[in-house]
């Protein structure tokens, strides 16, 4: 899996640079580039592997993978703002609003979001029907029905009269983190006009396992390794899988979710080996 992961990272970095190469020079474009540096590229890897499993070429899947990473970068830039999660470190670097300014960070995020949709219009992806289907699914995943809704619920939870229970935390994370994971995993099936349900099931379990791992790292992780501040959730009194379940139970839940994710891949047989390894990586990582 690692060799494929490294290839995907390199391809996506080149694709994003190419997409921004013809933008006007200046602070806005510099901030956009800055925001897309680094990262695990798990979502891009999901796109590329789901496409491969469904018979699509890398050249067709790459614009979709780049779109997902541009959108993800925008979400991080905005989430880090003082009005949101108020973070000053991301991927081992100062957050965008610290490096530049709040105004530039907001505009860079806005521009990355629109760039993502532009990338999904690339004719290399497939025919117009496929591209429209991807744009429709993407819009649902990242807007008021998905990722943005999850962030809104997360903010509302900070001032909730009653502490959140596990079901409420799952509802937030399925939107905030899981929706983009789900789109990334089913993108290849959409491109091939194939059944997306096995990959959708895989992604739902993977997304929650990923979030539990993030919650665990916020408690046990090392700032130098994670590239972001740790201990913030506990300091803010935020309800997480760890605060609700405890470390051991949270780890056990993540393991069960990974088992379910792997089981969902059975229709693909040995061809889904990379996605099985990815599921294990998600809960064993230290970043």
């Amino acid at each position: 899996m690692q060799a494929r992961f490294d290839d995907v990272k390199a391809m996506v970095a080149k694709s994003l640079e190419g997409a921004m190469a013809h933008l006007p020079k200046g602070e806005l474009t510099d901030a956009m580039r800055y925001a897309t540096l680094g990262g695990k590229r798990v979502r891009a890897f999901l796109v590329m592997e789901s496409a491969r499993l469904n018979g699509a070429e890398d050249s067709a899947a790459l614009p979709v993978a780049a779109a997902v990473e541009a959108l993800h970068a925008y979400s991080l830039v905005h989430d880090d703002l003082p009005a949101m999660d108020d973070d000053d470190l991301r991927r081992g670097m100062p957050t965008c609003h610290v490096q530049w300014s709040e105004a530039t960070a907001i505009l860079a995020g806005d521009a990355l979001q629109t760039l993502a949709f532009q990338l999904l219009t690339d004719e290399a992806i497939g025919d117009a029907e496929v591209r429209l289907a991807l744009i429709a699914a993407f819009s649902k995943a990242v807007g008021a029905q998905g990722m943005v809704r999850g962030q809104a619920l997360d903010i509302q939870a900070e001032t909730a009269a009653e502490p959140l229970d596990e079901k409420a935390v799952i509802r937030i994370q399925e939107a905030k983190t899981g929706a983009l994971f789900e789109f990334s995993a089913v993108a290849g099936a959409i491109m091939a006009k194939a059944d997306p349900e096995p990959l959708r099931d895989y992604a739902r379990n993977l997304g929650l396992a990923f979030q539990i791992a993030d919650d665990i790292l916020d408690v046990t992780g090392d700032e130098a390794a994670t590239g972001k501040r740790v201990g913030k959730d506990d300091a803010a009194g935020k309800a997480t899988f760890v605060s609700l379940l405890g470390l051991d139970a949270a780890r056990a839940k993540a393991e069960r979710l990974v088992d379910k994710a792997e089981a969902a891949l059975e229709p693909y047989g040995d061809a889904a080996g990379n996605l099985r390894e990815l599921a294990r990586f998600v809960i064993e990582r230290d970043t």
Side-chain angles (χ1 to χ4, degrees), residues 4 45-58 60-61 184-185 187-189 191-192 199:
R4 174 66 167 166
F45 188 78
L46 279 171
V47 172
M48 300 297 285
E49 282 299 293
S50 74
R52 185 185 62 79
L53 283 178
N54 284 280
E57 298 291 334
D58 280 355
S184 301
M191 292 171 65
L199 287 167

Side-chain angles (χ1 to χ4, degrees), residues 217 219-228 230 286-287:
L217 285 171
V219 175
T220 67
D222 176 73
E223 190 173 290
T226 62
K228 59 184 179 181
V230 296
D286 59 3
T287 65

